[in-house]
Amino acid sequence: GIYLDYNATTPVDPEVYARMEPYFKEYFGNPASAGHHWGWAADNAVQKARGQVASLIGAKANELIFTSGATEANNWVIFGLISKLRNENPYEPIHMITSCVEHSSTMKAMEAAQKLNVEVDFLPVNLYGQVDPEAVRKAIKPHTKLMSFIWVNNEIGTINPISEIAKIAKENQIYLHTDATQAVGKIPMNVTELGIDLMSFSGHKIYGPKGVGALFIRSKDPKVQINPLIYGGGQERGLRSGTLNVPAIVGLGFAAEICQRHLYTEAARLLSLRQLLWQKLQVAIPGIRMNGHPTERSPNNLSVTLPVKTDSLLSHLQKLGVSTGSACSSGAMTVSHVLRGIGLNSDQAQSTLRLSLGRWTTENEILRAADILQNAIPKKIV
Ligand code: PLP
């Protein structure tokens, strides 16, 4: 089969796996064990990983807290801030701004925040899936405490104007959080230069292991303060307790190093493969449409709406690992809120495929994938 679902998850790079392995075996120590070399070895490895991850995103090592992934990091930002603000003043109103095309881990957490009497605005996006910075500015209220916007959309690949939004957040002294799960390792970034306050991301989208990720928390100008989500033994400067998942953290660190080493060449390679795929599909399937921004998009993502619903194609697409724009949950069709957010109707969303390329995608695979798709479309339509 041909795996074109790298936005869902990536395989662990064999080099990453090799670096992780000793930390399951001889270096099994607990980094919190400060009294012996088993502990020191583990602690050194975690410190090294923190530096590798920091370097990829332009942060300082002490600004990173390891989490179980981006879902946890996104939840933590929202509930950790609410908890902090309510501790300080239980009666002060809290307002947060986000968009209608966020990952479910932000969207559902924001909905849960509303039930805690937090006022949340879900801003609409343009037809490409981008938030308008001026709309963000207009949505600001005296009690706005957080803005949270996805950097690169996981379904349609669109890049949000995070740098402009960061300026607006800074002018108004409001924390800016971004879910950069699909941006890290794919597009160059420097969180310090951009003035981002909080940023979530995950290991398994960058050829690291699943179940590990990080939250970047700016340490000064301003020092960002949120309460812990998980209390306990005081690991991660008391912000995220629990024995560290050392092998996974080592894996995330080395995965970040590899991404940094090849960032520009890999982005260029993926972009040209994606353009080839789009070129082939446009010729092969009349009426096909690309979703998301034509240029302001992640190099690896192609979201297309076909002239036919995808459920009728699935038997032809078994050899192709791709995602659809709708999911069948207990017999009912649930259409992606992202596709709805960019104005697709239910039929169009049900005709949408996400093809996402990655480190092991080859030109040959792209040509074969285009053929498979072409052959899957009923001839009377083409
Ligand atoms: N945010 C985005 C944009 C994602 O694509 C994903 C991946 O599913 C997540 C958050 C969740 O990440 P994790 O699986 O690490 O919790």
Side-chain angles (χ1 to χ4, degrees), residues 102-379:
E102 297 300 311
H103 186 264
S104 53
S105 53
T106 299
M107 187 180 74
K108 297 266 168 76
M110 285 288 188
E111 286 169 5
Q114 290 180 306
K115 300 211 168 89
L116 301 174
N117 281 327
V118 172
E119 199 184 334
V120 182
D121 275 327
F122 293 88
L123 298 185
V125 291
N126 66 18
L127 289 175
Y128 302 128
Q130 292 168 312
V131 173
D132 173 8
E134 282 317 303
V136 175
R137 194 194 291 283
K138 287 201 190 97
I140 293 171
K141 300 184 178 190
H143 53 289
T144 305
K145 303 293 184 187
L146 179 72
M147 304 178 178
S148 179
F149 298 107
I150 191 165
W151 195 334
V152 171
N153 190 281
N154 49 302
E155 291 191 36
I156 55 175
T158 294
I159 302 176
N160 252 328
I162 285 297
S163 116
E164 279 153 273
I165 296 172
K167 286 191 197 108
I168 294 168
K170 191 166 189 173
E171 278 164 33
N172 291 277
Q173 297 184 342
I174 298 165
Y175 287 166
L176 170 65
H177 166 251
T178 182
D179 176 352
T181 309
Q182 300 288 354
V184 167
K186 296 194 178 83
I187 60 172
M189 61 175 65
N190 185 308
V191 290
T192 307
E193 279 171 15
L194 287 173
I196 288 164
D197 297 304
L198 298 137
M199 186 171 94
S200 309
F201 52 101
S202 191
H204 72 106
K205 311 287 187 182
I206 61 166
Y207 312 95
K210 296 170 180 59
V212 68
L215 181 65
F216 157 78
I217 310 180
R218 169 182 295 282
S219 63
K220 62 176 204 287
D221 306 324
K223 176 176 165 49
V224 172
Q225 290 186 293
I226 59 175
N227 274 356
L229 186 68
I230 298 175
Y231 292 86
Q235 287 89 347
E236 298 293 80
R237 293 186 286 117
L239 286 171
R240 205 278 189 178
S241 287
T243 300
L244 298 188
N245 184 350
V246 179
I249 290 169
V250 166
L252 173 60
F254 197 63
E257 187 181 313
I258 298 178
C259 281
Q260 186 170 9
R261 215 186 289 150
H262 304 294
L263 189 64
Y264 292 91
T265 46
E266 182 63 358
R269 191 185 74 90
L270 290 172
L271 176 63
S272 87
L273 287 181
R274 188 199 70 209
Q275 284 170 335
L276 174 66
L277 180 58
W278 176 228
Q279 218 181 311
K280 292 280 168 201
L281 292 181
Q282 271 178 294
V283 174
I285 307 171
I288 192 172
R289 279 181 27 179
M290 178 165 87
N291 299 305
H293 200 283
T295 53
E296 293 291 304
R297 67 186 299 133
S298 168
N300 81 313
N301 171 295
L302 182 63
S303 167
V304 293
T305 299
L306 302 169
V308 53
K309 286 192 184 176
T310 55
D311 56 358
S312 65
L313 308 181
L314 291 181
S315 60
H316 298 270
L317 297 184
Q318 275 169 5
K319 291 211 174 94
L320 217 49
V322 296
S323 281
T324 57
S326 53
C328 192
S329 55
S330 54
M333 269 297 177
T334 53
V335 163
S336 144
H337 64 278
V338 173
L339 299 179
R340 251 189 287 123
I342 57 168
L344 266 59
N345 64 31
S346 162
D347 277 3
Q348 290 168 321
Q350 288 178 47
S351 309
T352 298
L353 284 182
R354 177 186 70 185
L355 306 136
S356 47
L357 289 54
R359 189 168 288 167
W360 288 281
T361 306
T362 62
E363 183 174 329
N364 184 348
E365 281 186 325
I366 291 299
L367 297 173
R368 275 162 52 216
D371 276 348
I372 292 173
L373 272 168
Q374 177 174 20
N375 293 329
I377 308 286
K379 289 293 163 286

